[in-house]
Coordinates of all heavy atoms in Angstrom, one line a residue:
R259 N -35.1 30.7 10.6 CA -36.2 31.2 9.7 C -37.1 32.0 10.6 O -37.7 33.1 10.1 CB -37.0 30.0 9.2 CG -36.2 29.4 8.0 CD -37.1 28.5 7.2 NE -36.4 28.0 6.0 CZ -36.3 26.8 5.5 NH1 -36.8 25.8 6.3 NH2 -35.6 26.4 4.5
V260 N -37.4 31.6 11.8 CA -38.3 32.4 12.7 C -37.7 33.8 12.9 O -38.3 34.9 12.8 CB -38.6 31.6 14.0 CG1 -39.4 32.5 14.9 CG2 -39.3 30.3 13.6
N261 N -36.5 33.7 13.3 CA -35.7 34.9 13.7 C -35.7 36.0 12.6 O -35.9 37.2 12.9 CB -34.3 34.6 14.0 CG -33.6 35.7 14.8 OD1 -34.2 36.4 15.5 ND2 -32.3 35.8 14.6
W262 N -35.6 35.6 11.3 CA -35.5 36.6 10.2 C -36.7 36.5 9.3 O -36.4 36.6 8.0 CB -34.2 36.3 9.5 CG -33.0 37.0 10.2 CD1 -32.8 38.3 10.4 CD2 -31.8 36.3 10.7 NE1 -31.6 38.5 11.1 CE2 -31.0 37.3 11.2 CE3 -31.5 35.0 10.7 CZ2 -29.8 37.0 11.9 CZ3 -30.2 34.7 11.3 CH2 -29.4 35.7 11.9
K263 N -37.9 36.1 9.9 CA -39.0 35.7 9.0 C -39.4 36.8 8.0 O -39.8 36.6 6.9 CB -40.2 35.2 9.8 CG -40.9 36.2 10.6 CD -42.1 35.4 11.2 CE -42.9 36.2 12.2 NZ -42.3 37.3 13.0
D264 N -39.2 38.1 8.3 CA -39.6 39.2 7.4 C -38.5 39.7 6.6 O -38.6 40.7 5.9 CB -40.3 40.3 8.2 CG -41.5 39.8 9.0 OD1 -42.2 39.0 8.5 OD2 -41.6 40.3 10.2
K265 N -37.3 39.0 6.7 CA -36.1 39.7 6.0 C -35.6 38.8 4.9 O -35.7 37.6 4.9 CB -35.0 39.8 7.0 CG -35.3 40.9 8.1 CD -35.4 42.3 7.6 CE -35.9 43.3 8.6 NZ -36.6 44.4 7.9
R266 N -35.0 39.5 3.9 CA -34.3 38.8 2.9 C -32.8 38.9 3.4 O -32.3 39.9 3.9 CB -34.3 39.5 1.6 CG -35.7 40.0 1.1 CD -36.6 38.8 0.7 NE -36.0 37.9 -0.3 CZ -36.0 38.3 -1.6 NH1 -36.6 39.3 -2.1 NH2 -35.5 37.4 -2.5
I267 N -32.1 37.7 3.3 CA -30.7 37.7 3.9 C -29.7 37.7 2.8 O -29.8 36.9 1.9 CB -30.6 36.4 4.8 CG1 -31.5 36.6 6.0 CG2 -29.1 36.2 5.2 CD1 -31.5 35.4 6.9
V268 N -28.7 38.6 2.9 CA -27.5 38.6 2.0 C -26.3 38.2 2.9 O -26.0 38.9 3.9 CB -27.3 40.0 1.4 CG1 -26.1 39.9 0.5 CG2 -28.5 40.3 0.6
L269 N -25.7 37.1 2.6 CA -24.7 36.6 3.5 C -23.3 36.7 3.0 O -23.0 36.5 1.7 CB -25.0 35.0 3.7 CG -24.0 34.3 4.5 CD1 -24.0 34.7 6.0 CD2 -24.3 32.7 4.4
S270 N -22.3 37.1 3.9 CA -20.9 37.1 3.5 C -20.1 36.2 4.6 O -20.5 36.4 5.8 CB -20.3 38.5 3.4 OG -20.8 39.2 2.5
V271 N -19.3 35.4 4.2 CA -18.5 34.6 5.1 C -17.0 34.6 4.7 O -16.7 34.3 3.6 CB -18.9 33.1 5.2 CG1 -18.2 32.3 6.1 CG2 -20.5 33.0 5.5
E272 N -16.1 35.0 5.6 CA -14.7 34.9 5.3 C -13.8 35.2 6.4 O -14.3 35.7 7.5 CB -14.3 35.9 4.1 CG -14.6 37.3 4.4 CD -15.7 37.9 3.5 OE1 -15.6 37.6 2.3 OE2 -16.6 38.5 4.0
R273 N -12.5 34.8 6.3 CA -11.6 35.4 7.3 C -11.4 36.8 7.0 O -11.6 37.3 5.8 CB -10.2 34.7 7.0 CG -10.1 33.2 7.4 CD -8.7 32.7 7.2 NE -8.3 32.8 5.9 CZ -7.4 33.7 5.5 NH1 -6.9 34.6 6.2 NH2 -7.1 33.7 4.1
L274 N -11.2 37.6 8.0 CA -11.0 39.1 7.8 C -9.7 39.4 7.2 O -8.8 39.9 7.8 CB -11.1 39.8 9.1 CG -12.5 40.2 9.6 CD1 -12.4 41.2 10.8 CD2 -13.4 40.7 8.5
D275 N -9.6 39.2 5.9 CA -8.4 39.4 5.1 C -8.6 40.5 4.1 O -9.7 40.4 3.4 CB -8.0 38.0 4.5 CG -6.6 38.0 4.0 OD1 -6.3 38.8 3.0 OD2 -5.7 37.4 4.6
Y276 N -7.5 41.3 3.9 CA -7.7 42.3 2.8 C -8.0 41.8 1.5 O -8.5 42.4 0.6 CB -6.5 43.3 2.9 CG -5.2 42.6 2.9 CD1 -4.6 42.1 1.8 CD2 -4.5 42.5 4.1 CE1 -3.4 41.5 1.8 CE2 -3.3 41.9 4.2 CZ -2.7 41.4 3.0 OH -1.5 40.7 3.0
S277 N -7.6 40.5 1.2 CA -7.8 40.0 -0.1 C -9.3 39.8 -0.4 O -9.8 39.7 -1.5 CB -7.1 38.7 -0.3 OG -7.5 37.7 0.6
K278 N -10.0 39.7 0.6 CA -11.5 39.3 0.5 C -12.4 40.5 0.2 O -13.6 40.3 -0.1 CB -12.0 38.6 1.9 CG -11.2 37.4 2.2 CD -11.4 36.2 1.4 CE -10.6 35.0 1.8 NZ -10.7 33.8 1.0
G279 N -11.8 41.7 0.2 CA -12.5 42.8 -0.4 C -13.7 43.4 0.5 O -14.6 43.9 0.0
L280 N -13.6 43.3 1.8 CA -14.7 43.7 2.6 C -14.9 45.2 2.6 O -16.1 45.6 2.6 CB -14.5 43.3 4.1 CG -14.9 41.9 4.4 CD1 -13.8 40.9 4.2 CD2 -15.4 41.9 5.8
L281 N -13.9 46.0 2.5 CA -14.1 47.5 2.5 C -14.9 47.8 1.2 O -15.8 48.6 1.2 CB -12.9 48.2 2.7 CG -12.3 48.1 4.1 CD1 -10.9 48.8 4.2 CD2 -13.2 48.8 5.1
R282 N -14.4 47.3 0.1 CA -15.1 47.5 -1.2 C -16.6 47.1 -1.1 O -17.5 47.7 -1.6 CB -14.3 46.8 -2.3 CG -13.0 47.3 -2.6 CD -13.0 48.6 -3.4 NE -11.7 49.1 -3.7 CZ -11.4 50.1 -4.4 NH1 -12.4 50.8 -5.0 NH2 -10.2 50.5 -4.6
R283 N -16.7 45.9 -0.5 CA -18.1 45.4 -0.4 C -19.0 46.4 0.4 O -20.2 46.5 0.0 CB -18.1 44.0 0.2 CG -19.4 43.2 -0.1 CD -19.2 41.8 0.5 NE -18.0 41.2 0.2 CZ -17.4 40.3 0.9 NH1 -18.0 39.8 2.0 NH2 -16.2 39.8 0.5
L284 N -18.4 46.9 1.4 CA -19.2 47.8 2.2 C -19.6 49.1 1.5 O -20.7 49.6 1.6 CB -18.5 48.2 3.5 CG -18.4 47.1 4.6 CD1 -17.5 47.4 5.6 CD2 -19.8 46.8 5.1
E285 N -18.7 49.5 0.5 CA -19.1 50.6 -0.3 C -20.2 50.2 -1.2 O -21.2 51.1 -1.5 CB -17.8 51.0 -1.2 CG -16.7 51.6 -0.6 CD -15.6 51.9 -1.5 OE1 -15.8 51.9 -2.8 OE2 -14.4 52.2 -1.0
A286 N -20.2 49.0 -1.8 CA -21.3 48.7 -2.7 C -22.6 48.5 -1.8 O -23.6 48.8 -2.3 CB -21.0 47.3 -3.3
I287 N -22.5 48.0 -0.6 CA -23.7 47.9 0.2 C -24.3 49.2 0.6 O -25.5 49.5 0.5 CB -23.3 47.1 1.5 CG1 -23.1 45.7 1.2 CG2 -24.4 47.3 2.6 CD1 -22.6 44.8 2.3
E288 N -23.3 50.3 0.8 CA -23.9 51.6 1.0 C -24.6 52.1 -0.2 O -25.7 52.7 -0.1 CB -22.7 52.6 1.3 CG -23.2 54.0 1.6 CD -22.3 54.9 2.3 OE1 -21.1 54.6 2.3 OE2 -22.8 55.8 2.9
T289 N -24.0 51.8 -1.4 CA -24.7 52.3 -2.6 C -26.1 51.6 -2.7 O -27.1 52.3 -3.1 CB -23.8 51.8 -3.8 OG1 -22.6 52.4 -3.7 CG2 -24.4 52.4 -5.1
F290 N -26.2 50.3 -2.3 CA -27.4 49.7 -2.4 C -28.4 50.2 -1.3 O -29.5 50.6 -1.7 CB -27.2 48.2 -2.1 CG -28.4 47.3 -1.8 CD1 -29.2 46.9 -2.9 CD2 -28.9 47.1 -0.5 CE1 -30.3 46.1 -2.7 CE2 -30.0 46.3 -0.3 CZ -30.7 45.9 -1.4
L291 N -27.9 50.4 -0.1 CA -28.8 51.0 0.9 C -29.3 52.3 0.6 O -30.4 52.7 0.9 CB -28.1 51.0 2.2 CG -27.7 49.6 2.9 CD1 -26.8 49.8 4.1 CD2 -28.9 48.9 3.3
A292 N -28.4 53.1 0.0 CA -28.8 54.5 -0.4 C -29.9 54.5 -1.5 O -30.6 55.5 -1.7 CB -27.6 55.3 -0.8
S293 N -29.9 53.5 -2.4 CA -30.7 53.7 -3.6 C -31.7 52.6 -3.8 O -32.7 52.8 -4.6 CB -29.7 53.7 -4.8 OG -29.0 52.5 -4.9
S294 N -31.6 51.4 -3.2 CA -32.5 50.3 -3.7 C -33.8 50.4 -2.9 O -34.0 50.7 -1.7 CB -31.9 49.0 -3.3 OG -32.8 48.0 -3.5
E295 N -34.9 50.0 -3.7 CA -36.2 50.0 -3.1 C -36.3 48.8 -2.1 O -37.3 48.8 -1.3 CB -37.3 49.9 -4.1 CG -37.2 48.8 -5.0 CD -38.2 48.7 -6.1 OE1 -39.4 48.3 -5.8 OE2 -37.9 48.9 -7.2
H296 N -35.3 47.9 -2.2 CA -35.4 46.7 -1.3 C -34.6 46.9 -0.1 O -34.5 46.1 0.8 CB -34.9 45.4 -2.0 CG -35.6 45.2 -3.3 ND1 -36.8 44.7 -3.4 CD2 -35.2 45.4 -4.5 CE1 -37.2 44.6 -4.6 NE2 -36.2 45.0 -5.4
A297 N -33.9 48.0 0.1 CA -33.0 48.3 1.2 C -33.6 47.9 2.6 O -33.0 47.3 3.4 CB -32.5 49.7 1.1
G298 N -34.8 48.3 2.8 CA -35.4 48.1 4.1 C -35.8 46.7 4.4 O -36.0 46.3 5.6
D299 N -35.8 45.9 3.3 CA -36.2 44.3 3.6 C -35.0 43.4 3.8 O -35.1 42.3 4.1 CB -36.8 43.8 2.3 CG -38.0 44.6 1.8 OD1 -38.6 45.3 2.7 OD2 -38.3 44.6 0.6
V300 N -33.8 44.1 3.7 CA -32.6 43.2 3.6 C -31.8 43.3 4.9 O -31.5 44.4 5.4 CB -31.8 43.6 2.4 CG1 -30.4 42.8 2.4 CG2 -32.5 43.3 1.1
V301 N -31.3 42.1 5.4 CA -30.3 42.2 6.4 C -29.0 41.6 5.8 O -29.0 40.5 5.2 CB -30.6 41.6 7.7 CG1 -31.0 40.1 7.5 CG2 -29.6 41.7 8.8
F302 N -27.9 42.3 6.0 CA -26.6 41.7 5.5 C -25.9 41.0 6.7 O -25.7 41.7 7.7 CB -25.7 42.9 5.0 CG -26.1 43.4 3.7 CD1 -27.1 44.5 3.7 CD2 -25.7 42.9 2.6 CE1 -27.5 45.1 2.5 CE2 -26.1 43.5 1.3 CZ -27.0 44.5 1.3
I303 N -25.7 39.8 6.6 CA -25.0 39.1 7.7 C -23.5 38.9 7.3 O -23.3 38.3 6.2 CB -25.7 37.7 8.0 CG1 -27.1 37.9 8.4 CG2 -24.9 36.9 9.1 CD1 -27.8 36.7 8.8
F304 N -22.7 39.4 8.1 CA -21.2 39.3 7.8 C -20.6 38.4 8.9 O -20.6 38.7 10.0 CB -20.6 40.7 8.0 CG -20.4 41.5 6.8 CD1 -21.5 42.1 6.2 CD2 -19.2 41.7 6.3 CE1 -21.4 42.8 5.1 CE2 -19.0 42.5 5.1 CZ -20.1 43.0 4.5
I305 N -20.0 37.3 8.5 CA -19.3 36.5 9.4 C -17.8 36.7 9.0 O -17.3 36.4 7.9 CB -19.5 34.9 9.1 CG1 -20.9 34.6 9.0 CG2 -18.8 34.1 10.2 CD1 -21.7 34.5 10.2
G306 N -17.1 37.4 9.9 CA -15.7 37.8 9.7 C -14.8 37.0 10.6 O -14.7 37.4 11.8
V307 N -14.2 36.0 10.3 CA -13.4 35.2 11.2 C -12.1 35.9 11.4 O -11.4 36.2 10.5 CB -13.2 33.8 10.6 CG1 -12.4 32.9 11.6 CG2 -14.6 33.1 10.4
P308 N -11.8 36.1 12.8 CA -10.5 36.8 13.0 C -9.3 36.0 12.4 O -9.3 34.8 12.4 CB -10.4 36.8 14.6 CG -11.8 36.4 15.0 CD -12.5 35.8 13.9
T309 N -8.3 36.7 12.0 CA -7.1 36.0 11.3 C -5.9 37.0 11.5 O -6.0 38.1 11.4 CB -7.4 35.7 9.9 OG1 -6.4 35.0 9.4 CG2 -7.7 36.9 9.0
R310 N -4.8 36.4 11.7 CA -3.5 37.1 11.7 C -3.4 38.4 12.4 O -2.9 39.4 11.9 CB -3.0 37.3 10.2 CG -2.9 36.0 9.4 CD -2.6 36.1 8.0 NE -2.9 34.8 7.4 CZ -2.9 34.6 6.1 NH1 -2.6 35.6 5.3 NH2 -3.2 33.4 5.6
G311 N -4.0 38.4 13.6 CA -4.0 39.6 14.4 C -2.7 40.1 14.7 O -2.5 41.3 15.1
E312 N -1.6 39.3 14.5 CA -0.3 39.8 14.8 C 0.2 40.7 13.8 O 1.2 41.5 14.0 CB 0.7 38.6 15.0 CG 0.4 37.5 15.9 CD -0.7 36.6 15.3 OE1 -1.1 36.8 14.2 OE2 -1.2 35.8 16.1
V313 N -0.4 40.7 12.6 CA 0.1 41.5 11.5 C -0.6 42.9 11.5 O -1.8 42.9 11.5 CB -0.1 40.7 10.2 CG1 0.4 41.6 8.9 CG2 0.7 39.3 10.2
K314 N 0.2 43.9 11.4 CA -0.3 45.3 11.5 C -1.5 45.6 10.5 O -2.5 46.1 10.9 CB 0.8 46.4 11.3 CG 0.5 47.8 11.4 CD 1.6 48.7 11.3 CE 1.6 49.2 9.9 NZ 2.4 49.4 8.9
E315 N -1.3 45.2 9.3 CA -2.3 45.5 8.3 C -3.7 44.9 8.6 O -4.8 45.4 8.3 CB -1.9 45.0 6.9 CG -1.0 45.9 6.2 CD 0.4 45.7 6.7 OE1 0.8 44.7 7.4 OE2 1.4 46.6 6.4
Y316 N -3.7 43.7 9.3 CA -4.9 43.0 9.6 C -5.6 43.7 10.8 O -6.8 43.8 10.9 CB -4.6 41.5 10.0 CG -4.3 40.7 8.8 CD1 -3.1 40.7 8.2 CD2 -5.3 39.9 8.2 CE1 -2.8 40.0 7.1 CE2 -5.1 39.2 7.1 CZ -3.8 39.2 6.6 OH -3.5 38.4 5.4
Q317 N -4.8 44.3 11.8 CA -5.3 45.0 12.9 C -6.0 46.3 12.3 O -7.2 46.6 12.7 CB -4.3 45.5 13.9 CG -3.6 44.3 14.6 CD -2.3 44.7 15.1 OE1 -1.9 45.8 15.1 NE2 -1.5 43.6 15.6
E318 N -5.3 46.9 11.4 CA -6.0 48.2 10.8 C -7.2 47.9 10.0 O -8.2 48.6 10.1 CB -4.9 48.9 9.9 CG -3.8 49.4 10.7 CD -2.6 50.0 9.8 OE1 -2.7 49.7 8.5 OE2 -1.6 50.4 10.3
L319 N -7.2 46.8 9.3 CA -8.4 46.4 8.5 C -9.6 46.2 9.4 O -10.7 46.6 9.2 CB -8.1 45.1 7.6 CG -9.2 44.6 6.9 CD1 -9.5 45.5 5.7 CD2 -9.0 43.2 6.4
R320 N -9.3 45.5 10.5 CA -10.4 45.2 11.5 C -11.0 46.4 12.0 O -12.2 46.6 12.0 CB -9.8 44.3 12.5 CG -10.9 44.0 13.6 CD -10.3 43.4 14.9 NE -11.4 43.4 15.9 CZ -11.2 42.8 17.0 NH1 -10.2 42.0 17.2 NH2 -12.2 42.9 17.9
E321 N -10.1 47.4 12.3 CA -10.6 48.6 12.9 C -11.5 49.4 11.8 O -12.5 49.9 12.2 CB -9.5 49.6 13.3 CG -8.9 49.1 14.7 CD -7.5 49.7 14.9 OE1 -7.2 50.7 14.3 OE2 -6.8 49.1 15.8
K322 N -11.0 49.4 10.6 CA -11.6 50.1 9.6 C -13.0 49.5 9.3 O -14.1 50.3 9.1 CB -10.9 50.0 8.2 CG -9.7 51.1 8.2 CD -9.2 51.1 6.8 CE -7.9 51.9 6.9 NZ -7.0 51.5 5.7
I323 N -13.1 48.2 9.2 CA -14.3 47.5 9.0 C -15.4 47.7 10.1 O -16.5 48.1 9.9 CB -14.1 45.9 8.9 CG1 -13.4 45.7 7.6 CG2 -15.4 45.2 8.9 CD1 -12.9 44.3 7.4
E324 N -14.9 47.7 11.4 CA -15.8 47.9 12.5 C -16.3 49.3 12.4 O -17.5 49.6 12.6 CB -15.1 47.7 13.9 CG -14.9 46.2 14.1 CD -14.2 45.8 15.3 OE1 -13.4 46.7 15.8 OE2 -14.2 44.7 15.7
R325 N -15.4 50.3 12.1 CA -15.8 51.7 12.0 C -16.9 51.8 10.9 O -17.9 52.5 11.1 CB -14.6 52.6 11.7 CG -14.6 54.0 12.4 CD -13.5 54.7 12.1 NE -12.2 54.0 12.3 CZ -11.1 54.1 11.5 NH1 -11.2 54.6 10.4 NH2 -10.1 53.4 11.8
E326 N -16.6 51.2 9.8 CA -17.5 51.4 8.6 C -18.9 50.8 8.8 O -19.9 51.4 8.5 CB -16.7 50.7 7.5 CG -17.0 51.3 6.0 CD -17.2 52.7 5.9 OE1 -16.6 53.6 6.7 OE2 -18.0 53.2 5.1
I327 N -18.8 49.6 9.5 CA -20.1 48.9 9.7 C -20.9 49.8 10.7 O -22.1 50.0 10.5 CB -19.9 47.5 10.3 CG1 -19.4 46.6 9.1 CG2 -21.2 47.0 10.8 CD1 -19.2 45.2 9.5
G328 N -20.2 50.3 11.7 CA -20.9 51.2 12.7 C -21.5 52.4 12.1 O -22.6 52.8 12.3
R329 N -20.8 53.0 11.1 CA -21.3 54.2 10.5 C -22.5 53.8 9.6 O -23.5 54.5 9.6 CB -20.2 54.8 9.5 CG -20.5 56.1 8.9 CD -19.4 56.6 7.9 NE -19.2 55.8 6.7 CZ -19.9 55.9 5.7 NH1 -20.9 56.8 5.6 NH2 -19.7 55.2 4.6
L330 N -22.4 52.7 8.9 CA -23.6 52.4 8.0 C -24.7 52.0 8.8 O -25.9 52.4 8.5 CB -23.2 51.2 7.0 CG -22.2 51.5 6.0 CD1 -21.9 50.2 5.1 CD2 -22.6 52.7 5.1
N331 N -24.6 51.3 9.9 CA -25.7 50.9 10.8 C -26.3 52.2 11.4 O -27.6 52.3 11.4 CB -25.3 49.9 11.8 CG -25.4 48.5 11.3 OD1 -26.1 48.2 10.4 ND2 -24.7 47.6 12.0
G332 N -25.5 53.1 11.7 CA -26.0 54.4 12.3 C -26.8 55.1 11.3 O -27.9 55.6 11.6
L333 N -26.3 55.1 10.0 CA -26.9 56.0 9.1 C -28.2 55.3 8.5 O -29.1 56.0 8.1 CB -25.9 56.1 7.9 CG -25.9 57.3 7.0 CD1 -25.8 58.6 7.8 CD2 -24.7 57.3 6.0
Y334 N -28.2 54.0 8.3 CA -29.3 53.3 7.7 C -30.2 52.6 8.5 O -31.1 51.9 8.0 CB -28.8 52.5 6.5 CG -28.2 53.4 5.4 CD1 -26.8 53.5 5.3 CD2 -28.9 54.0 4.5 CE1 -26.1 54.3 4.4 CE2 -28.3 54.8 3.5 CZ -26.9 54.9 3.4 OH -26.4 55.7 2.6
A335 N -30.0 52.6 9.9 CA -30.8 51.8 10.7 C -32.2 52.5 11.0 O -32.3 53.7 10.9 CB -30.1 51.6 12.2
S336 N -33.2 51.6 11.4 CA -34.4 52.2 11.9 C -34.6 51.7 13.3 O -33.8 50.9 13.8 CB -35.6 51.8 11.0 OG -35.8 50.4 11.1
V337 N -35.7 52.0 14.0 CA -35.9 51.6 15.3 C -36.0 50.1 15.4 O -35.4 49.4 16.2 CB -37.2 52.1 15.9 CG1 -37.5 51.7 17.3 CG2 -37.2 53.7 15.9
Q338 N -36.6 49.4 14.3 CA -36.7 47.9 14.4 C -35.6 47.2 13.7 O -35.4 46.0 13.9 CB -38.0 47.5 13.7 CG -39.3 48.1 14.1 CD -39.6 49.4 13.4 OE1 -38.7 49.9 12.7 NE2 -40.8 49.9 13.7
H339 N -34.7 47.9 12.9 CA -33.9 47.2 12.0 C -32.5 47.8 11.8 O -32.3 49.0 11.6 CB -34.6 47.1 10.7 CG -33.8 46.6 9.5 ND1 -33.3 45.3 9.4 CD2 -33.3 47.2 8.4 CE1 -32.7 45.2 8.4 NE2 -32.7 46.3 7.7
S340 N -31.4 47.0 12.0 CA -30.1 47.4 11.6 C -29.7 46.7 10.3 O -29.9 45.4 10.2 CB -29.1 46.9 12.6 OG -29.1 47.8 13.7
P341 N -29.2 47.3 9.3 CA -29.0 46.6 8.0 C -27.8 45.6 8.0 O -27.8 44.6 7.3 CB -28.7 47.7 7.0 CG -28.3 48.9 7.8 CD -28.9 48.8 9.2
I342 N -26.8 45.8 9.0 CA -25.7 44.9 8.9 C -25.5 44.2 10.2 O -25.4 44.8 11.3 CB -24.3 45.7 8.5 CG1 -24.5 46.4 7.2 CG2 -23.2 44.7 8.4 CD1 -23.4 47.3 6.8
H343 N -25.5 42.9 10.2 CA -25.2 42.0 11.4 C -23.8 41.5 11.3 O -23.6 40.6 10.4 CB -26.4 41.0 11.3 CG -26.5 40.2 12.5 ND1 -27.2 40.6 13.6 CD2 -26.0 39.0 12.8 CE1 -27.1 39.7 14.5 NE2 -26.4 38.7 14.1
F344 N -23.0 42.0 12.1 CA -21.5 41.6 12.0 C -21.1 40.6 13.1 O -21.3 40.9 14.3 CB -20.7 42.8 12.1 CG -19.2 42.6 11.9 CD1 -18.7 41.7 11.0 CD2 -18.3 43.3 12.7 CE1 -17.3 41.5 10.9 CE2 -16.9 43.0 12.7 CZ -16.4 42.1 11.7
I345 N -20.7 39.4 12.7 CA -20.3 38.5 13.7 C -18.7 38.2 13.5 O -18.3 37.7 12.5 CB -21.0 37.2 13.4 CG1 -22.5 37.3 13.5 CG2 -20.5 36.1 14.5 CD1 -23.3 36.1 13.0
H346 N -18.0 38.8 14.5 CA -16.6 38.8 14.3 C -16.0 37.6 15.1 O -15.2 37.7 16.0 CB -15.9 40.1 14.9 CG -14.5 40.2 14.6 ND1 -13.6 40.7 15.5 CD2 -13.7 39.8 13.5 CE1 -12.3 40.6 15.0 NE2 -12.4 40.0 13.8
Q347 N -16.4 36.4 14.7 CA -15.9 35.2 15.3 C -16.3 34.0 14.4 O -17.2 34.2 13.5 CB -16.4 35.0 16.7 CG -17.9 35.0 16.8 CD -18.4 35.0 18.2 OE1 -18.2 33.9 18.8 NE2 -18.9 36.0 18.6
S348 N -15.7 32.9 14.6 CA -16.0 31.7 13.8 C -17.3 31.1 14.4 O -17.5 31.2 15.6 CB -14.9 30.7 13.9 OG -15.2 29.5 13.3
I349 N -18.2 30.7 13.6 CA -19.5 30.1 14.1 C -19.4 28.6 13.9 O -18.7 28.1 12.9 CB -20.7 30.7 13.5 CG1 -20.7 30.5 12.0 CG2 -20.8 32.2 13.8 CD1 -22.0 30.8 11.3
P350 N -20.1 27.8 14.6 CA -20.1 26.3 14.5 C -20.6 25.9 13.1 O -21.4 26.7 12.4 CB -21.1 25.8 15.5 CG -21.3 26.9 16.4 CD -21.1 28.2 15.7
F351 N -20.2 24.8 12.6 CA -20.4 24.3 11.3 C -21.9 24.2 11.0 O -22.5 24.5 10.0 CB -19.8 22.9 11.1 CG -19.9 22.4 9.7 CD1 -19.4 23.1 8.6 CD2 -20.5 21.1 9.4 CE1 -19.5 22.6 7.3 CE2 -20.6 20.6 8.2 CZ -20.1 21.4 7.1
T352 N -22.6 23.8 12.0 CA -24.1 23.6 11.9 C -24.7 24.9 11.6 O -25.6 25.1 10.7 CB -24.8 23.0 13.2 OG1 -24.1 21.7 13.4 CG2 -26.2 22.7 13.0
A353 N -24.3 26.0 12.4 CA -24.9 27.3 12.2 C -24.5 27.8 10.8 O -25.3 28.5 10.1 CB -24.3 28.2 13.3
L354 N -23.3 27.5 10.4 CA -22.9 28.0 9.1 C -23.7 27.5 8.0 O -24.2 28.1 7.1 CB -21.4 27.6 8.8 CG -20.7 28.1 7.5 CD1 -20.6 29.6 7.5 CD2 -19.4 27.4 7.3

Side-chain angles (χ1 to χ4, degrees):
R259 280 194 176 132
V260 172
N261 197 33
W262 281 297
K263 68 176 178 328
D264 300 324
K265 294 292 171 205
R266 314 289 304 279
I267 292 177
V268 179
L269 177 68
S270 291
V271 180
E272 58 245 315
R273 288 183 301 104
L274 271 199
D275 193 288
Y276 45 80
S277 64
K278 304 287 180 183
L280 272 94
L281 288 170
R282 295 278 181 175
R283 198 177 312 153
L284 288 169
E285 286 177 17
I287 288 173
E288 179 164 23
T289 308
F290 170 84
L291 291 174
S293 60
S294 171
E295 59 181 284
H296 306 287
D299 303 334
V300 173
V301 59
F302 289 89
I303 300 182
F304 265 73
I305 316 282
V307 179
T309 184
R310 300 176 194 169
E312 306 75 7
V313 179
K314 184 177 99 227
E315 281 80 12
Y316 286 80
Q317 295 159 7
E318 289 171 1
L319 177 72
R320 177 192 166 165
E321 282 162 22
K322 278 189 196 159
I323 288 170
E324 284 176 344
R325 214 179 310 134
E326 210 35 33
I327 290 179
R329 186 179 72 79
L330 291 180
N331 271 341
L333 207 56
Y334 295 98
S336 65
V337 177
Q338 302 88 350
H339 169 68
S340 283
I342 303 175
H343 188 82
F344 180 44
I345 302 168
H346 185 218
Q347 55 186 293
S348 177
I349 60 169
F351 185 58
T352 304
L354 180 68

